């Protein structure tokens, strides 16, 4: 049976997939959440959390920090690019955007930075 981090990662990936591929008109909006480029903030948070979960999964599997950092980052960024390609190919009303890829990658990089700093502070 998979551990709770693997299950959390699967649920998070399914959530990201749904939110990024469903028609934008079906996603509820919050009137109080009015900030410029809020979709980029959402992308950043999606991939920040995904990177943290992937890192934990890989670390539990391999126990090697450097390998876990690299695989978590590469996996999250690759998935973000794949989702953008899927938006471009398979959805109507959704657009693939390079700025989304940049927000995804930034969220993932920030996740790795936080994990790395946390590890340094432990020593």
């Amino acid at each position: 049976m998979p551990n709770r981090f693997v299950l959390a990662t699967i649920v998070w990936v399914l959530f990201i997939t749904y939110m990024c591929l469903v028609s934008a008109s079906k996603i509820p909006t919050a009137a109080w959440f009015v900030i410029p480029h809020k979709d980029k903030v959402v992308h950043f948070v999606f991939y920040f959390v995904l990177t943290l979960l992937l890192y934990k999964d890989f670390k539990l599997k391999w126990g090697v920090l450097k390998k876990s950092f690299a695989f978590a980052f590469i996996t999250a960024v690759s998935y973000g690019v794949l989702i953008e390609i899927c938006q471009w190919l398979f959805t109507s009303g959704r657009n693939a955007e390079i700025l989304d890829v940049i927000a995804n990658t930034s969220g993932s990089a920030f996740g790795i930075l936080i994990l790395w700093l946390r590890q340094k502070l432990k020593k």
Side-chain angles (χ1 to χ4, degrees), residues 10 22-24 41 45 47 52 62 64 66 68 81 91 106 109-110 120 123:
I10 291 168
V22 71
S23 173
V41 174
V45 171
Y47 288 86
L52 298 180
W62 296 314
V64 179
K66 288 181 184 178
S68 299
V81 170
T91 66
S106 298
F110 188 67
K120 288 292 182 189
K123 289 181 180 181

Side-chain angles (χ1 to χ4, degrees), residues 72-92:
F73 181 76
I74 290 167
T75 302
V77 170
S78 298
Y79 184 71
V81 170
L82 177 65
I83 285 292
E84 291 302 312
I85 291 170
C86 288
Q87 281 183 338
W88 175 58
L89 293 174
F90 305 120
T91 66
S92 59

Side-chain angles (χ1 to χ4, degrees), residues 22-29 92-94:
V22 71
S23 173
S25 64
K26 293 184 180 182
I27 298 173
T29 58
S92 59
R94 300 298 296 246

Side-chain angles (χ1 to χ4, degrees), residues 7-22 27-28 42 45-47 49-50 79 83:
L7 293 175
T9 304
I10 291 168
V11 169
W12 192 250
V13 166
L14 291 173
F15 175 71
I16 291 172
T17 304
Y18 175 78
M19 294 301 288
C20 290
L21 296 181
V22 71
I27 298 173
V42 170
V45 171
F46 279 176
Y47 288 86
V49 172
L50 179 60
Y79 184 71
I83 285 292

